[in-house]
Structure formats: structure tokens, C-alpha cells
Amino acid sequence: MMANKQILGLIICLFVVASGFISCESDEKITQEPPSDEYLEKAKEILNGDIVLSTKATLNGVDKTLLETGCPTMFNFSWRNDGKMVLTLKDFTVGKMPMVITFRCATTVMQLNSWEKDEYTGAGWIKFQGKDGNVTTVGENAADNMEGSGARVDGYLNVNTQQIEFIVDYNVMIVRSECFLQTIDKTRINRFEEEFEQFEKDLQKKKEELGIG
């Protein structure tokens, strides 16, 4: 009787493990699938052209923007004929970086997997991921991606609420741009210079308060 119970327990364990593998494989498949045509069309309308977003730039894990509101940063979004969304950030620098870089990366727009749906609740969420982004100093002449660069983008967009967040990892000097969760406001493009000027003033004041040179 004891042997039968052990065998039954082993069978149950194997079944649970197998179910887990099947679930993981199924979930992975979902993450590779595009969103609905409706969501994709909405994404193309929202992520189009220059958009100003608030970001925190980190160098080796240290926030160089210092301010809770982050730094107004202009990103450009465009779409290729193959359906990939290209994210571009021109002339980026942070702290005392000895260079100004431009980042371009073609991303794939996908559905969320099950655990992501637990975190990003409600309808309208999609994600976009890109790897081997091109980090260069040659501006707009840069290609979208460069095999083996290691630079990448991981982001989420709600096409209904227009909320967005993403991280750009440049894989250079441990520099990242972290666009925290916020609602896109396309009118910010009209006051970008004013916002950035105010940011620099507030940043200098913050440095003085912290005794940072």
C-alpha cells in the first residue's frame, strides 16, 4: 500500500512539473505573438514622431538626474515596413560622460505574458522589446541595430490610457535611461526647451543642496 502511495505521489509530481513546462512554453509562445490589429494600429498612432517624456538617467546605478520628476527627454518613434517600431534618442549624455551618443533600436511589439498581465492590469497593454540597439556618435546616420552590441529596450504601452514606461540599456559605461510610468502628453513637444531650461535650474539647485560639484 505504501509503495502504491509513493508511486501515485511520484506520478502527481511528474504531472505538476510537466504542466509547468507546458505552461511556460505556452507563455513564451504568447510573448512572441503580435498584439491585435486594433492595438497595433493604436500604438502606431500614439508612438509616432517626436515625443517628450520624463526620464531618469543612471550611470553605474546612480541617478544623475537627481530630481524626482526626472529630466525632459525627446525621443523619436517611427515604424518600419516590416512592422518593427524604431526608438531613437539623439545626442544623449549624462553626468560627466566624455561622449554624446545617439541610440537607435528596432523593437518588436508583442502581447504580454501571464505574469506581465498580473502586473499591468486592465485592457490595452502591449510590450515592445529590442536588442542590439545601435549606440553611436554619428547621429541620424546610425543603423537601427548592430549585432552583438548588447544595448536593448524593454517597454510597455497602454494603447487605451496612453501610459508608457521603458528602459534603455546602452551597454556603455553602465548607462541607462529609465522612463518611469507616465501618461504621454504630446503637447510637451511645444514647451520642451522651456521644460529643459527649468530642469537645468532645478538640477543646479539640487546639486548645491547636496553639495555636489
Side-chain angles (χ1 to χ4, degrees), residues 160-201:
N160 293 335
T161 64
Q162 298 195 24
Q163 291 174 289
I164 190 171
E165 73 172 343
F166 59 87
I167 292 177
V168 178
D169 187 341
Y170 302 95
N171 199 34
V172 175
M173 297 176 63
I174 320 180
V175 176
R176 305 205 318 176
S177 289
E178 301 180 5
C179 177
F180 48 86
L181 186 63
Q182 61 197 272
T183 301
I184 294 172
D185 178 1
K186 292 195 174 182
T187 66
R188 292 183 69 183
I189 193 70
N190 300 323
R191 53 183 187 275
F192 172 63
E193 292 184 5
E194 177 184 341
E195 277 195 37
F196 191 81
E197 182 178 346
Q198 185 61 49
F199 164 76
E200 290 188 314
K201 292 179 181 178

Side-chain angles (χ1 to χ4, degrees), residues 29-134:
K29 182 180 179 182
I30 290 176
T31 65
Q32 301 302 316
E33 293 182 357
S36 66
D37 291 340
E38 177 189 1
Y39 280 14
L40 186 58
E41 288 306 309
K42 285 184 177 181
K44 288 181 178 180
E45 291 178 7
I46 297 168
L47 300 180
N48 184 21
D50 292 331
I51 298 177
V52 176
L53 298 167
S54 297
T55 65
K56 291 191 175 182
T58 63
L59 177 61
N60 198 22
V62 178
D63 182 7
K64 293 298 182 178
T65 48
L66 296 179
L67 306 177
E68 287 297 320
T69 54
C71 173
T73 307
M74 187 185 303
F75 294 90
N76 180 270
F77 298 86
S78 60
W79 295 81
R80 300 195 321 201
N81 293 332
D82 61 2
K84 289 185 178 293
M85 186 268 288
V86 179
L87 183 150
T88 303
L89 174 59
K90 293 191 295 183
D91 301 330
F92 172 78
T93 186
V94 60
K96 297 181 179 180
M97 274 177 51
M99 68 183 75
V100 176
I101 61 178
T102 288
F103 176 82
R104 288 174 62 90
C105 188
T107 69
T108 301
V109 179
M110 297 174 282
Q111 298 180 26
L112 273 60
N113 60 33
S114 60
W115 64 266
E116 287 169 330
K117 289 179 181 178
D118 290 337
E119 182 175 357
Y120 297 91
T121 57
W125 286 104
I126 60 175
K127 67 179 177 181
F128 50 95
Q129 294 181 337
K131 61 180 182 178
D132 290 337
N134 199 319

Side-chain angles (χ1 to χ4, degrees), residues 119-154:
E119 182 175 357
Y120 297 91
T121 57
W125 286 104
I126 60 175
K127 67 179 177 181
F128 50 95
Q129 294 181 337
K131 61 180 182 178
D132 290 337
N134 199 319
V135 181
T136 180
T137 58
V138 295
E140 294 181 347
N141 295 323
D144 295 340
N145 295 69
M146 182 172 59
E147 185 175 354
S149 74
R152 62 178 295 117
V153 177
D154 293 280

